[in-house]
Amino acid sequence: MNKLTVIYRQSLRRFFVSVGIVALTFAILQLLSVLMTGFTDGWRFVRLNDIVSGWFAGTWSVAVLIYGFLYLAFSYSDFKLGMQSGQTRQRIWLSEIASLATTTLLMWLVWELTAHGSFSWESAFSALLMIVCMMTMVFAIGSGFALLPRKWKIVVAIALPTIFVFLMIQLAQLMIKYFQPGHNTLVTLVNIASWQGTWIIFGLLWSAVMIGLSYVFTMHMQLRRD
Amino acid sequence: MEALKINGVSKRFGRTQILDDISLTIQPQTIYALLGENGAGKSTLLNIINDRNFPSKGEVVLGDHEVHNHYPSLQRLYLMSDSNMYGKRTSVSGMFQLADEGYGHFDYELAHRLTKAFGVNEHARLSNLSTGLTTAAKITCALCVNADFIFLDEPMLGLDANHRNRFYRELMKTYEQRPRTFVISSHIINEIQSLVEHVFVLHDHHLIADEDVENLLNRAYTISGPADAVDQYTQAMKVLDQQTVGKIKTAYVIEKLDDQQPIPDDVTVTHMNLQQAYLALTNGEDEINE
């Protein structure tokens, strides 16, 4: 683990700095909002509990977005830093996975500890799986983009979603045209879809594929000329 | 200690051939010069050696292991280049810290001394420094890092004469204290001639010279005098380059002179310096190809 530190530490530092900036920004905004409420509606409407929960909700929701963006945007920077520090591609990837796992667990823990309402292991696990699916996908996309020069990044960023939407429409049209299931088949399909195990298996498979893709992409990264 | 071997490395970027079947050996504890014109493929070769780029063909081997994705090998190689490998907010001291985390045992004492000597503020961000000071900071890092093979790609970029002189002195000082391999890729050939022991010359995608500087210069001659006399004297030699001013001709040859062949009285034979030898090798190649 000691040898994974360069990228791992850099990644965590970046994460905490980003979350810190978001938290500070929201604290200032929240303070301004409190002052405005106090002056216009009277100070009796200002409650500390609301202020803290509002600050936390705002910080957390933006932090989640930033957290995703970090793994989308910084794969190539991490690669360059790793190569300059005498790391192999494999170690760079392992460090990124380790930092992804740490930040994911941290975000999930904070969310679960501060979530309102009753706690259940089932929903907590579902939330974790959902975050893992999202983050591994973002990481795989980020690693894939790191292979492309700037110009091609823009082309692919536009082309890929277009292709995805086109394929989805085609698939939907084909299903409407050719797939007319009987009642029993439909019931079976609904049962499969509503069984939580299906989504867990799908989520785990999805994450495994994304992690595999990120590995392949990282192993093919090179210093670009742009 | 093991040598670093580059075996049959070729590199293409799309349809453009950058390197064609380059093979060379880099010995431990030796200072090398890597010379070549702009676009000759020096940086590409250094990037391939350091596993930053993949070769289209060939391999780089350190001891018994291919360098590609081999951690113990990569831990022994360090490349300083003008590429921006650090984050935008990285400071000079942050760069040192990263080198320490990556390679271990970073020589902070020397680093502090060098930054002071070069006038580099360690708290400044790399992105805020001038080209010369950025190079000075990177040089400092390269001289203090714990690696056995240190590759310096254009280490004099933007440095003034004073800073260049300081760099040469510090390089020799650190080399004497802890001998390790330095490969210096540069266009300022005259200034590094006294530092380097061996030279590699890349030209037209190929390695055209791989020789000890002393050996190369011992058989690199400038032959000048009246055109007829020079032509007659160099008749059996391979003249790499020549210049004629009025009736005086200067021919450049890199080969052992025949001791039996007397030198005419009006012909002067002198040894070339490294820059002249490099120009003769590269210009000569062009003329032969033409």
Side-chain angles (χ1 to χ4, degrees):
Chain A
M1 194 64 192
N2 187 38
K3 295 291 182 187
L4 299 178
T5 51
V6 176
I7 303 299
Y8 181 74
R9 277 192 210 166
Q10 192 72 6
S11 210
L12 287 190
R13 197 178 297 148
R14 200 161 50 214
F15 170 75
F16 284 118
V17 166
S18 307
V19 172
I21 292 169
V22 172
L24 194 67
T25 311
F26 263 97
I28 294 166
L29 290 175
Q30 199 73 5
L31 192 68
L32 287 174
S33 157
V34 166
L35 287 174
M36 281 172 72
T37 312
F39 283 124
T40 52
D41 301 340
W43 292 100
R44 66 181 180 281
F45 292 108
V46 175
R47 289 193 186 91
L48 186 68
N49 197 26
D50 293 346
I51 297 167
V52 172
S53 60
W55 169 78
F56 179 78
T59 300
W60 198 87
S61 50
V62 177
V64 168
L65 288 176
I66 284 179
Y67 158 62
F69 173 77
L70 290 179
Y71 289 95
L72 191 67
F74 287 97
S75 284
Y76 185 57
S77 308
D78 286 347
F79 165 73
K80 286 198 295 182
L81 192 62
M83 294 315 283
Q84 186 64 63
S85 308
Q87 309 290 310
T88 60
R89 287 170 179 77
Q90 202 169 25
R91 279 174 184 269
I92 292 168
W93 177 79
L94 271 175
S95 308
E96 285 182 315
I97 286 289
S99 96
L100 189 75
T102 310
T103 44
T104 299
L105 276 175
L106 201 69
M107 295 295 277
W108 174 72
L109 268 175
V110 172
W111 176 249
E112 290 302 328
L113 287 173
T114 55
H116 300 291
S118 58
F119 173 84
S120 79
W121 282 109
E122 203 175 284
S123 66
F125 178 74
S126 300
L128 178 64
L129 191 62
M130 197 179 73
I131 300 175
V132 168
C133 285
M134 288 296 293
M135 288 316 298
T136 50
M137 184 180 75
V138 166
F139 180 45
I141 293 172
S143 306
F145 269 57
L147 299 176
L148 304 170
R150 264 181 214 140
K151 194 172 73 182
W152 278 99
K153 268 184 196 166
I154 298 165
V155 173
V156 171
I158 297 166
L160 263 187
T162 312
I163 292 169
F164 179 75
V165 169
F166 176 78
L167 286 177
M168 286 294 112
I169 292 168
Q170 292 296 312
L171 192 70
Q173 281 177 345
L174 281 173
M175 282 181 75
I176 292 164
K177 203 171 176 183
Y178 297 109
F179 186 63
Q180 284 144 355
H183 177 71
N184 287 343
T185 316
L186 208 58
V187 169
T188 311
L189 283 175
V190 168
N191 284 339
I192 291 171
S194 55
W195 181 51
Q196 207 190 4
T198 309
W199 295 104
I200 291 171
I201 292 167
F202 177 76
L204 291 174
L205 276 175
W206 175 266
S207 302
V209 170
M210 291 301 135
I211 288 171
L213 277 176
S214 69
Y215 180 77
V216 172
F217 292 147
T218 307
M219 294 305 283
H220 284 85
M221 273 184 208
Q222 294 192 72
L223 193 66
R224 295 197 312 253
R225 305 178 103 195
D226 55 352
Chain B
M1 234 195 283
E2 302 133 321
L4 185 65
K5 289 182 178 167
I6 289 89
N7 299 329
V9 163
S10 298
K11 180 69 180 177
R12 292 184 78 90
F13 284 114
R15 290 178 187 176
T16 314
Q17 182 87 44
I18 307 293
L19 298 170
D20 191 7
D21 197 21
I22 304 290
S23 293
L24 53 92
T25 300
I26 299 172
Q27 297 293 346
Q29 304 179 350
T30 311
I31 303 182
Y32 292 87
L34 175 62
L35 308 178
E37 295 144 299
N38 292 323
K42 302 185 296 294
S43 299
T44 304
L45 181 62
L46 296 181
N47 282 329
I48 288 172
I49 292 172
N50 286 273
D51 200 25
R52 293 182 184 184
N53 283 117
F54 302 126
S56 308
K57 229 170 68 182
E59 58 177 8
V60 180
V61 179
L62 179 59
D64 299 329
H65 295 279
E66 201 177 331
V67 167
H68 173 60
N69 224 18
H70 187 246
Y71 182 68
S73 299
L74 284 174
Q75 280 287 292
R76 296 178 60 195
L77 312 181
Y78 183 87
L79 169 59
M80 173 240 145
S81 69
D82 65 337
S83 300
N84 187 13
M85 303 296 282
Y86 301 96
K88 279 179 189 162
R89 301 170 62 86
T90 308
S91 63
V92 175
S93 57
M95 176 173 65
F96 296 161
Q97 198 187 329
L98 287 166
D100 189 29
E101 285 177 13
Y103 290 90
H105 305 292
F106 186 81
D107 190 345
Y108 280 106
E109 204 182 315
L110 177 61
H112 295 322
R113 191 171 64 73
L114 289 181
T115 48
K116 208 171 167 187
F118 281 122
V120 175
N121 175 7
E122 285 190 25
H123 302 294
R125 284 184 194 164
L126 284 171
S127 55
N128 289 344
L129 294 177
S130 67
T131 309
L133 288 182
T134 305
T135 304
K138 286 183 176 179
I139 284 172
T140 302
C141 193
L143 295 183
C144 301
V145 78
N146 177 30
D148 297 325
F149 293 86
I150 295 164
F151 300 87
L152 305 168
D153 191 5
E154 297 290 353
M156 282 80 95
L157 191 74
L159 290 188
D160 59 37
N162 289 334
H163 277 174
R164 289 205 301 274
N165 192 39
R166 187 172 295 281
F167 162 59
Y168 304 140
R169 276 193 285 158
E170 294 297 343
L171 176 74
M172 291 318 290
K173 204 190 271 184
T174 184
Y175 180 71
E176 278 165 20
Q177 283 166 356
R178 189 196 151 196
R180 52 210 193 274
T181 296
F182 288 94
V183 178
I184 306 169
S185 160
S186 177
H187 295 294
I188 307 179
I189 302 170
N190 270 343
E191 291 186 10
I192 60 167
Q193 180 180 330
S194 58
L195 304 176
V196 299
E197 299 162 61
H198 194 100
V199 64
F200 301 119
V201 180
L202 287 177
H203 180 67
D204 201 18
H205 327 304
H206 295 93
L207 183 71
I208 59 164
D210 173 1
E211 199 170 353
D212 280 349
V213 174
E214 201 181 329
N215 290 348
L216 177 70
L217 297 185
N218 273 344
R219 57 189 188 85
Y221 297 99
T222 304
I223 301 163
S224 58
D228 292 347
V230 170
D231 284 340
Q232 200 178 355
Y233 180 67
T234 59
Q235 206 172 15
M237 298 175 195
K238 183 182 168 187
V239 176
L240 291 173
D241 197 9
Q242 54 190 3
Q243 285 171 348
T244 308
V245 180
K247 287 181 179 175
I248 301 297
K249 186 172 189 175
T250 305
Y252 300 91
V253 295
I254 298 182
E255 60 184 65
K256 201 170 181 325
L257 296 185
D258 183 0
D259 293 340
Q260 306 300 316
Q261 188 182 2
I263 301 169
D265 290 342
D266 47 358
V267 169
T268 313
V269 178
T270 53
H271 280 286
M272 288 186 214
N273 62 31
L274 188 58
Q275 176 149 318
Q276 286 170 325
Y278 162 77
L279 289 172
L281 280 167
T282 50
N283 288 342
E285 282 281 320
D286 283 340
E287 280 169 18
I288 289 161
N289 291 339
E290 279 164 17

